[in-house]
Coordinates of all heavy atoms in Angstrom, one line a residue:
M1 N 107.7 55.0 69.4 CA 106.9 54.3 70.4 C 105.5 54.0 70.0 O 104.8 54.9 69.6 CB 106.9 55.2 71.7 CG 106.9 54.4 73.0 SD 106.6 55.5 74.4 CE 108.1 56.5 74.3
A2 N 105.1 52.8 70.0 CA 103.8 52.4 69.6 C 102.7 53.1 70.4 O 102.8 53.1 71.6 CB 103.6 50.9 69.6
G3 N 101.7 53.6 69.7 CA 100.6 54.2 70.5 C 100.8 55.6 70.9 O 99.8 56.2 71.3
S4 N 102.0 56.2 70.7 CA 102.1 57.6 71.1 C 101.5 58.4 70.0 O 101.6 58.1 68.8 CB 103.6 57.9 71.4 OG 104.3 57.6 70.3
P5 N 101.0 59.6 70.4 CA 100.4 60.4 69.4 C 101.5 61.0 68.5 O 102.7 61.1 68.9 CB 99.8 61.6 70.2 CG 100.5 61.5 71.5 CD 100.9 60.1 71.7
P6 N 101.2 61.3 67.2 CA 102.2 61.9 66.3 C 102.8 63.2 66.9 O 102.0 63.9 67.5 CB 101.5 62.1 65.0 CG 100.0 62.1 65.4 CD 99.9 61.3 66.6
E7 N 104.0 63.4 66.6 CA 104.6 64.6 67.2 C 104.1 65.8 66.4 O 104.0 65.8 65.2 CB 106.1 64.5 67.0 CG 106.9 65.6 67.8 CD 108.4 65.5 67.6 OE1 108.8 64.5 67.0 OE2 109.0 66.5 68.0
P8 N 103.8 66.9 67.1 CA 103.4 68.1 66.4 C 104.4 68.6 65.5 O 105.6 68.5 65.8 CB 103.0 69.1 67.5 CG 103.7 68.6 68.7 CD 103.9 67.1 68.5
T9 N 104.0 69.2 64.4 CA 105.0 69.8 63.5 C 104.9 71.3 63.5 O 103.9 71.9 63.9 CB 104.7 69.4 62.0 OG1 103.4 69.8 61.6 CG2 104.9 67.9 61.9
R10 N 106.0 72.0 63.1 CA 106.1 73.4 63.1 C 106.7 73.8 61.8 O 107.5 73.0 61.2 CB 107.0 74.0 64.3 CG 106.4 73.7 65.6 CD 105.2 74.6 65.9 NE 104.7 74.4 67.3 CZ 103.7 73.5 67.6 NH1 103.2 72.7 66.7 NH2 103.3 73.4 68.8
Q11 N 106.5 75.0 61.4 CA 107.0 75.5 60.1 C 108.4 76.2 60.4 O 108.4 77.1 61.2 CB 106.1 76.4 59.4 CG 106.6 76.8 58.0 CD 105.6 77.7 57.3 OE1 104.9 78.5 57.9 NE2 105.5 77.5 55.9
C12 N 109.4 75.8 59.6 CA 110.7 76.5 59.7 C 110.6 77.9 59.1 O 110.0 78.0 58.0 CB 111.7 75.6 59.0 SG 113.3 76.5 58.8
I13 N 111.1 78.9 59.7 CA 111.0 80.3 59.2 C 112.0 80.5 58.1 O 112.0 81.5 57.4 CB 111.1 81.4 60.2 CG1 112.4 81.3 60.9 CG2 109.9 81.3 61.2 CD1 112.7 82.5 61.8
G14 N 112.9 79.5 57.9 CA 113.9 79.6 56.8 C 113.4 79.0 55.6 O 113.0 79.7 54.6
C15 N 113.3 77.7 55.5 CA 112.9 77.0 54.3 C 111.4 76.8 54.2 O 110.9 76.4 53.2 CB 113.6 75.6 54.2 SG 113.1 74.5 55.6
R16 N 110.7 77.2 55.2 CA 109.3 77.2 55.3 C 108.6 75.8 55.1 O 107.5 75.6 54.9 CB 108.7 78.1 54.2 CG 109.2 79.5 54.5 CD 108.8 80.4 53.3 NE 107.6 81.2 53.6 CZ 107.2 82.1 52.8 NH1 107.8 82.3 51.6 NH2 106.1 82.8 53.1
S17 N 109.4 74.7 55.3 CA 108.8 73.4 55.3 C 108.4 73.1 56.7 O 108.9 73.6 57.7 CB 109.8 72.4 54.8 OG 110.9 72.2 55.7
R18 N 107.5 72.1 56.8 CA 107.0 71.7 58.1 C 107.9 70.6 58.6 O 108.3 69.7 57.8 CB 105.6 71.3 58.1 CG 104.7 72.5 57.8 CD 103.2 72.2 58.0 NE 102.9 72.2 59.5 CZ 102.6 73.2 60.2 NH1 102.5 74.4 59.6 NH2 102.4 73.1 61.5
A19 N 108.2 70.5 59.9 CA 109.1 69.5 60.4 C 108.6 69.2 61.8 O 108.0 70.0 62.5 CB 110.5 70.0 60.4
P20 N 109.0 68.0 62.3 CA 108.6 67.7 63.7 C 109.3 68.7 64.6 O 110.4 69.2 64.4 CB 109.3 66.3 63.9 CG 109.5 65.7 62.6 CD 109.7 66.9 61.6
R21 N 108.6 69.1 65.7 CA 109.0 70.1 66.5 C 110.4 69.9 67.1 O 111.2 70.8 67.3 CB 108.0 70.3 67.7 CG 108.1 71.5 68.4 CD 107.0 71.7 69.4 NE 106.8 70.6 70.3 CZ 105.9 70.5 71.2 NH1 105.1 71.5 71.4 NH2 105.8 69.4 72.0
S22 N 110.7 68.6 67.3 CA 112.0 68.3 68.0 C 113.2 68.5 67.0 O 114.3 68.4 67.4 CB 112.0 66.8 68.5 OG 111.8 65.9 67.4
S23 N 112.9 68.6 65.7 CA 114.0 68.8 64.8 C 114.3 70.3 64.5 O 115.1 70.7 63.7 CB 113.8 68.1 63.5 OG 112.7 68.7 62.8
L24 N 113.5 71.2 65.2 CA 113.7 72.6 65.0 C 114.1 73.3 66.3 O 113.8 72.8 67.4 CB 112.3 73.2 64.6 CG 111.7 72.7 63.3 CD1 110.2 73.0 63.2 CD2 112.5 73.2 62.1
V25 N 114.8 74.4 66.1 CA 115.2 75.2 67.3 C 114.1 76.3 67.5 O 113.6 76.9 66.5 CB 116.5 75.9 67.0 CG1 116.9 76.9 68.1 CG2 117.6 74.9 66.8
R26 N 113.7 76.5 68.7 CA 112.7 77.5 69.0 C 113.3 78.8 69.4 O 114.2 78.8 70.3 CB 111.7 77.0 70.1 CG 110.6 78.0 70.3 CD 109.5 77.4 71.2 NE 108.3 78.2 71.3 CZ 108.0 79.0 72.4 NH1 108.8 79.0 73.4 NH2 107.0 79.8 72.3
L27 N 112.9 79.9 68.8 CA 113.4 81.2 69.2 C 112.2 82.0 69.8 O 111.1 81.9 69.4 CB 113.9 82.0 68.0 CG 115.0 81.3 67.2 CD1 115.2 82.0 65.9 CD2 116.3 81.3 68.0
V28 N 112.5 82.8 70.8 CA 111.5 83.6 71.5 C 112.0 85.0 71.5 O 113.2 85.3 71.6 CB 111.1 83.1 72.9 CG1 110.3 81.8 72.8 CG2 112.4 83.0 73.8
A29 N 111.1 86.0 71.5 CA 111.4 87.4 71.7 C 112.0 87.6 73.1 O 111.5 87.1 74.0 CB 110.2 88.3 71.4
D30 N 113.0 88.4 73.2 CA 113.6 88.8 74.5 C 114.2 90.2 74.3 O 115.3 90.4 73.8 CB 114.6 87.8 74.9 CG 115.2 88.2 76.3 OD1 114.9 89.3 76.8 OD2 115.9 87.4 76.8
E31 N 113.4 91.2 74.8 CA 113.8 92.6 74.6 C 115.2 92.8 75.2 O 116.0 93.7 74.7 CB 112.8 93.5 75.3 CG 111.5 93.6 74.7 CD 111.5 94.3 73.3 OE1 112.4 95.2 73.2 OE2 110.8 93.9 72.4
G32 N 115.6 92.1 76.2 CA 116.8 92.3 76.9 C 118.0 91.7 76.2 O 119.2 92.0 76.6
A33 N 117.8 90.8 75.3 CA 118.9 90.1 74.6 C 119.5 91.0 73.5 O 118.8 91.8 72.9 CB 118.4 88.8 74.1
P34 N 120.8 90.8 73.2 CA 121.4 91.7 72.2 C 120.7 91.7 70.8 O 120.6 92.7 70.2 CB 122.8 91.0 72.0 CG 123.0 90.3 73.3 CD 121.7 89.8 73.8
G35 N 120.2 90.5 70.4 CA 119.5 90.5 69.1 C 118.0 90.6 69.3 O 117.2 90.3 68.3
G36 N 117.5 90.9 70.4 CA 116.1 91.0 70.7 C 115.4 89.7 70.7 O 114.1 89.6 70.7
C37 N 116.1 88.6 70.7 CA 115.6 87.3 70.8 C 116.6 86.3 71.3 O 117.8 86.6 71.5 CB 115.2 86.8 69.4 SG 116.6 86.7 68.2
R38 N 116.1 85.1 71.7 CA 117.1 84.1 72.1 C 116.6 82.7 71.9 O 115.4 82.6 71.6 CB 117.4 84.3 73.6 CG 116.2 84.1 74.5 CD 116.5 84.6 75.9 NE 115.3 84.9 76.6 CZ 114.5 84.0 77.2 NH1 114.9 82.7 77.1 NH2 113.4 84.3 77.8
V39 N 117.5 81.8 71.9 CA 117.1 80.4 71.7 C 116.4 79.9 73.0 O 116.9 80.1 74.1 CB 118.4 79.5 71.4 CG1 118.0 78.1 71.4 CG2 119.0 80.0 70.1
D40 N 115.2 79.3 72.7 CA 114.5 78.7 73.8 C 114.9 77.2 74.0 O 114.3 76.4 73.3 CB 113.0 78.9 73.5 CG 112.1 78.2 74.6 OD1 112.7 77.8 75.7 OD2 110.9 78.0 74.3
R41 N 115.9 77.0 74.7 CA 116.5 75.7 74.8 C 115.5 74.6 75.3 O 115.5 73.5 74.8 CB 117.7 75.7 75.7 CG 118.9 76.5 75.1 CD 120.0 76.6 76.1 NE 121.1 77.4 75.6 CZ 122.0 76.9 74.7 NH1 121.9 75.7 74.3 NH2 122.9 77.7 74.3
G42 N 114.7 75.0 76.3 CA 113.8 74.0 76.8 C 112.5 73.9 76.1 O 111.6 73.1 76.4
R43 N 112.3 74.8 75.1 CA 111.0 74.9 74.4 C 109.9 75.1 75.3 O 108.8 74.6 75.1 CB 110.8 73.7 73.5 CG 111.8 73.5 72.4 CD 111.2 72.4 71.4 NE 112.2 72.1 70.4 CZ 113.2 71.2 70.6 NH1 113.3 70.6 71.7 NH2 114.0 71.0 69.6
N44 N 110.1 75.9 76.4 CA 109.0 76.0 77.4 C 108.8 77.5 77.7 O 108.1 77.8 78.7 CB 109.3 75.2 78.6 CG 110.7 75.5 79.2 OD1 111.4 76.5 78.7 ND2 111.2 74.7 80.1
Q45 N 109.4 78.4 77.0 CA 109.2 79.8 77.3 C 107.9 80.3 76.8 O 107.5 79.9 75.8 CB 110.3 80.7 76.7 CG 111.7 80.4 77.2 CD 111.9 80.7 78.7 OE1 111.5 81.7 79.1 NE2 112.4 79.7 79.4
P46 N 107.2 81.1 77.6 CA 105.9 81.6 77.2 C 106.1 82.6 76.1 O 107.2 83.1 75.8 CB 105.3 82.2 78.5 CG 106.5 82.6 79.2 CD 107.6 81.6 78.9
G47 N 105.0 82.9 75.4 CA 105.0 83.9 74.4 C 105.2 83.3 73.0 O 105.3 82.1 72.8
R48 N 105.2 84.2 72.1 CA 105.2 83.8 70.7 C 106.6 83.3 70.3 O 107.6 84.0 70.7 CB 104.9 85.0 69.8 CG 105.0 84.8 68.3 CD 104.3 85.9 67.6 NE 102.9 85.8 67.7 CZ 102.2 85.0 66.8 NH1 102.8 84.3 65.9 NH2 100.9 84.9 66.9
G49 N 106.7 82.2 69.7 CA 108.0 81.7 69.3 C 108.1 81.5 67.8 O 107.1 81.5 67.1
A50 N 109.3 81.3 67.3 CA 109.5 81.0 65.9 C 110.4 79.8 65.9 O 111.2 79.5 66.8 CB 110.2 82.2 65.2
H51 N 110.2 79.0 64.8 CA 111.0 77.7 64.7 C 111.9 77.7 63.5 O 111.5 78.2 62.4 CB 110.0 76.5 64.7 CG 109.3 76.3 66.0 ND1 108.2 77.1 66.3 CD2 109.5 75.5 67.0 CE1 107.8 76.7 67.5 NE2 108.6 75.7 68.0
I52 N 113.0 77.2 63.7 CA 114.0 77.1 62.5 C 114.9 75.9 62.6 O 115.2 75.5 63.7 CB 114.8 78.4 62.5 CG1 115.6 78.5 61.2 CG2 115.7 78.5 63.7 CD1 116.2 79.9 60.9
H53 N 115.2 75.4 61.4 CA 116.2 74.3 61.4 C 117.6 74.8 61.8 O 117.9 75.9 61.4 CB 116.3 73.7 60.0 CG 115.2 72.9 59.6 ND1 114.4 73.2 58.5 CD2 114.7 71.7 60.0 CE1 113.4 72.3 58.4 NE2 113.6 71.4 59.3
P54 N 118.4 74.1 62.6 CA 119.7 74.5 62.9 C 120.6 74.3 61.7 O 121.6 73.5 61.8 CB 120.1 73.7 64.1 CG 119.3 72.4 64.0 CD 118.0 72.8 63.3
R55 N 120.3 74.9 60.6 CA 121.1 74.7 59.3 C 121.4 76.1 58.8 O 120.6 77.0 58.8 CB 120.3 74.0 58.3 CG 120.0 72.5 58.6 CD 119.6 71.8 57.4 NE 118.5 72.4 56.7 CZ 117.4 71.8 56.3 NH1 117.2 70.5 56.6 NH2 116.5 72.4 55.6
E56 N 122.6 76.2 58.2 CA 123.0 77.5 57.6 C 122.0 78.0 56.6 O 121.7 79.2 56.5 CB 124.4 77.4 57.0 CG 125.5 77.2 58.1 CD 126.8 77.6 57.5 OE1 126.9 78.5 56.6 OE2 127.9 77.1 58.0
E57 N 121.6 77.1 55.7 CA 120.7 77.5 54.7 C 119.4 78.2 55.2 O 118.9 79.2 54.7 CB 120.2 76.4 53.8 CG 121.4 75.5 53.2 CD 121.7 74.3 54.2 OE1 122.5 74.6 55.1 OE2 121.1 73.3 54.0
C58 N 118.9 77.6 56.3 CA 117.7 78.1 56.8 C 117.9 79.4 57.5 O 117.1 80.3 57.4 CB 117.1 77.1 57.8 SG 116.6 75.6 56.9
V59 N 119.0 79.5 58.3 CA 119.3 80.8 58.9 C 119.5 81.9 57.9 O 119.0 83.0 58.0 CB 120.5 80.7 59.9 CG1 120.8 82.0 60.5 CG2 120.2 79.6 61.0
D60 N 120.3 81.6 56.8 CA 120.5 82.5 55.8 C 119.2 83.0 55.1 O 119.0 84.2 54.9 CB 121.5 82.0 54.7 CG 122.9 81.8 55.2 OD1 123.2 82.4 56.3 OD2 123.7 81.1 54.6
E61 N 118.4 82.1 54.8 CA 117.1 82.4 54.2 C 116.3 83.2 55.1 O 115.7 84.2 54.6 CB 116.4 81.0 53.8 CG 115.3 81.2 52.9 CD 115.6 81.9 51.5 OE1 116.8 81.7 51.1 OE2 114.8 82.6 51.0
A62 N 116.2 82.9 56.3 CA 115.4 83.7 57.3 C 115.9 85.1 57.4 O 115.2 86.0 57.6 CB 115.3 83.0 58.6
T63 N 117.3 85.2 57.4 CA 117.9 86.5 57.5 C 117.6 87.3 56.3 O 117.2 88.5 56.5 CB 119.5 86.3 57.6 OG1 119.8 85.4 58.6 CG2 120.1 87.6 57.8
K64 N 117.7 86.7 55.1 CA 117.4 87.5 53.9 C 116.0 88.0 53.8 O 115.7 89.1 53.4 CB 117.6 86.5 52.7 CG 118.6 87.0 51.7 CD 118.6 86.1 50.5 CE 119.2 84.7 50.8 NZ 119.1 83.8 49.7
R65 N 115.1 87.1 54.3 CA 113.6 87.5 54.2 C 113.1 88.2 55.4 O 112.0 88.5 55.6 CB 112.8 86.3 53.9 CG 113.1 85.7 52.6 CD 112.0 84.6 52.2 NE 112.1 83.4 53.0 CZ 111.2 83.1 54.0 NH1 110.2 83.9 54.3 NH2 111.4 82.0 54.7
R66 N 114.0 88.5 56.4 CA 113.7 89.1 57.6 C 112.5 88.4 58.2 O 111.5 89.0 58.7 CB 113.3 90.6 57.4 CG 114.5 91.4 56.9 CD 114.2 92.9 56.8 NE 113.7 93.4 58.0 CZ 114.5 93.7 59.1 NH1 115.8 93.4 59.1 NH2 113.9 94.2 60.2
A67 N 112.6 87.1 58.2 CA 111.4 86.3 58.7 C 111.3 86.3 60.2 O 110.1 86.1 60.7 CB 111.6 84.8 58.2
L68 N 112.3 86.5 60.9 CA 112.2 86.4 62.4 C 111.4 87.5 63.0 O 110.5 87.2 63.8 CB 113.6 86.3 63.0 CG 113.5 86.0 64.6 CD1 112.8 84.7 64.9 CD2 114.9 86.0 65.2
P69 N 111.7 88.8 62.7 CA 110.9 89.8 63.3 C 109.4 89.6 63.0 O 108.6 89.9 63.8 CB 111.4 91.1 62.6 CG 112.8 90.8 62.1 CD 112.8 89.3 61.9
R70 N 109.1 89.1 61.8 CA 107.8 88.9 61.3 C 107.1 87.8 62.2 O 106.0 87.9 62.7 CB 107.7 88.6 59.9 CG 106.5 89.1 59.2 CD 106.6 89.2 57.7 NE 107.3 88.0 57.1 CZ 108.2 88.1 56.2 NH1 108.6 89.3 55.7 NH2 108.8 87.1 55.7
A71 N 107.9 86.7 62.3 CA 107.4 85.6 63.0 C 107.1 85.9 64.5 O 106.2 85.4 65.1 CB 108.3 84.4 62.9
L72 N 108.0 86.8 65.0 CA 107.8 87.1 66.5 C 106.9 88.3 66.6 O 106.7 88.8 67.7 CB 109.2 87.4 67.1 CG 110.1 86.2 67.1 CD1 111.5 86.7 67.8 CD2 109.6 85.1 67.9
R73 N 106.4 88.8 65.5 CA 105.5 90.0 65.6 C 106.2 91.2 66.3 O 105.7 91.9 67.1 CB 104.2 89.7 66.3 CG 103.4 88.6 65.8 CD 102.3 89.2 64.9 NE 101.2 88.3 64.7 CZ 101.2 87.3 63.8 NH1 102.3 87.0 63.1 NH2 100.1 86.5 63.7
A74 N 107.5 91.3 65.9 CA 108.3 92.4 66.5 C 107.7 93.8 66.0 O 107.3 93.9 64.9 CB 109.7 92.3 66.1
L75 N 107.8 94.7 66.9 CA 107.3 96.1 66.5 C 108.3 96.7 65.4 O 109.5 96.4 65.5 CB 107.3 97.0 67.7 CG 106.3 96.5 68.8 CD1 106.5 97.4 70.0 CD2 104.9 96.6 68.3
P76 N 107.8 97.5 64.5 CA 108.6 98.1 63.6 C 109.7 98.9 64.3 O 109.5 99.6 65.3 CB 107.7 99.1 62.8 CG 106.3 98.5 63.0 CD 106.4 97.9 64.4
G77 N 110.9 98.8 63.8 CA 112.0 99.5 64.5 C 112.6 98.8 65.7 O 113.6 99.2 66.2
S78 N 112.1 97.6 66.0 CA 112.7 96.9 67.1 C 113.9 96.2 66.6 O 114.2 96.2 65.4 CB 111.7 95.8 67.6 OG 111.6 94.7 66.7
S79 N 114.7 95.7 67.6 CA 116.0 95.3 67.2 C 116.2 93.8 67.0 O 117.2 93.2 67.1 CB 117.0 95.7 68.4 OG 116.5 95.1 69.6
V80 N 115.1 93.1 66.7 CA 115.2 91.7 66.5 C 116.1 91.4 65.3 O 115.9 91.8 64.2 CB 113.8 91.0 66.2 CG1 113.9 89.6 65.8 CG2 112.9 91.2 67.5
D81 N 117.2 90.6 65.6 CA 118.2 90.4 64.6 C 118.7 89.0 64.8 O 119.4 88.6 65.7 CB 119.3 91.4 64.9 CG 120.5 91.2 63.9 OD1 120.4 90.3 63.0 OD2 121.5 91.9 64.1
I82 N 118.3 88.1 63.8 CA 118.7 86.7 63.9 C 120.2 86.5 63.9 O 120.6 85.5 64.4 CB 117.9 85.9 62.8 CG1 117.9 84.4 63.1 CG2 118.5 86.2 61.4 CD1 117.0 83.6 62.2
S83 N 120.9 87.4 63.3 CA 122.4 87.2 63.2 C 123.0 87.1 64.5 O 124.1 86.5 64.7 CB 123.0 88.2 62.3 OG 123.0 89.5 63.0
K84 N 122.4 87.7 65.5 CA 123.0 87.7 66.8 C 122.9 86.3 67.5 O 123.7 86.0 68.4 CB 122.3 88.7 67.7 CG 122.5 90.2 67.3 CD 123.8 90.7 67.8 CE 123.9 92.2 67.7 NZ 123.7 92.7 66.4
V85 N 122.0 85.5 67.1 CA 121.8 84.2 67.7 C 122.2 83.1 66.7 O 122.0 81.9 66.9 CB 120.4 84.0 68.2 CG1 120.2 84.8 69.5 CG2 119.4 84.2 67.2
R86 N 122.7 83.5 65.5 CA 123.1 82.5 64.5 C 123.9 81.4 65.0 O 123.6 80.2 64.8 CB 123.8 83.2 63.4 CG 124.2 82.3 62.2 CD 125.2 83.1 61.3 NE 125.7 82.1 60.3 CZ 125.1 81.9 59.1 NH1 124.1 82.7 58.8 NH2 125.6 81.1 58.3
A87 N 125.0 81.7 65.7 CA 125.9 80.7 66.2 C 125.2 79.8 67.2 O 125.5 78.5 67.2 CB 127.1 81.3 66.9
E88 N 124.4 80.4 68.0 CA 123.7 79.5 69.0 C 122.7 78.6 68.3 O 122.5 77.5 68.7 CB 123.0 80.4 70.0 CG 122.7 79.7 71.3 CD 122.0 80.6 72.3 OE1 122.0 81.8 72.2 OE2 121.4 80.0 73.2
I89 N 122.0 79.1 67.2 CA 121.1 78.2 66.5 C 121.8 77.1 65.9 O 121.5 75.9 66.0 CB 120.4 79.0 65.4 CG1 119.5 80.1 66.0 CG2 119.6 78.1 64.5 CD1 118.9 81.1 64.9
L90 N 122.9 77.4 65.2 CA 123.7 76.3 64.5 C 124.3 75.4 65.5 O 124.6 74.2 65.1 CB 124.7 77.0 63.6 CG 124.1 77.9 62.5 CD1 125.3 78.4 61.6 CD2 123.2 77.1 61.6
G91 N 124.6 75.8 66.7 CA 125.2 75.0 67.6 C 124.3 74.2 68.6 O 124.7 73.5 69.5
A92 N 123.0 74.5 68.3 CA 122.0 73.9 69.3 C 122.0 72.4 69.2 O 122.1 71.8 68.1 CB 120.6 74.4 68.9
R93 N 121.9 71.8 70.4 CA 121.8 70.3 70.4 C 120.3 70.0 70.6 O 119.7 70.4 71.5 CB 122.5 69.8 71.6 CG 124.0 69.8 71.4 CD 124.7 69.6 72.8 NE 126.1 69.8 72.6 CZ 127.0 68.8 72.8 NH1 126.6 67.6 73.1 NH2 128.3 69.0 72.6
L94 N 119.8 69.3 69.6 CA 118.4 68.9 69.7 C 118.2 67.6 70.4 O 119.1 66.8 70.4 CB 117.8 68.9 68.2 CG 117.9 70.2 67.5 CD1 117.5 70.1 66.1 CD2 117.1 71.3 68.2
Ligands
ZN1 ZN1 114.4 75.0 57.5

């Protein structure tokens, strides 16, 4: 759309490249969820979020590097586990 401001970019916690926000899935901490986090479908949940491409490579990379607990500033020993929301990330409709 002509004249609209450029879309903000966010860094993917998997491949660490920057991408338009709309191409990434937002994750937020949620103590009550099985993996300590959940997909923020509306991208409107308050609090610290993490962004990731809905791609296997990115989820695998983030899992390997334990990037999600870090991105969400999870407390040591907390149960933030990206594998619990893997299917939801990969199935997200952007
Ligand atoms: Zn990525």
Side-chain angles (χ1 to χ4, degrees):
M1 209 188 299
S4 58
E7 195 183 345
T9 60
R10 294 289 182 269
Q11 187 178 32
C12 171
I13 61 170
C15 63
R16 301 170 100 175
S17 67
R18 296 194 73 87
R21 197 170 53 176
S22 63
S23 69
L24 299 164
V25 174
R26 183 169 189 256
L27 300 168
V28 288
D30 182 351
E31 291 292 327
C37 62
R38 64 193 157 78
V39 172
D40 176 13
R41 293 174 181 281
R43 294 194 185 85
N44 54 8
Q45 296 297 312
R48 176 165 285 275
H51 293 79
I52 189 166
H53 287 115
R55 293 197 307 231
E56 290 201 25
E57 309 92 271
C58 294
V59 176
D60 287 347
E61 192 58 32
T63 305
K64 236 186 295 176
R65 293 193 291 104
R66 300 185 51 78
L68 185 61
R70 212 160 43 223
L72 296 179
R73 300 262 200 281
L75 298 171
S78 75
S79 59
V80 172
D81 180 1
I82 196 172
S83 70
K84 295 281 196 299
V85 290
R86 179 190 175 93
E88 204 181 339
I89 293 170
L90 297 180
R93 286 167 185 244
L94 299 175

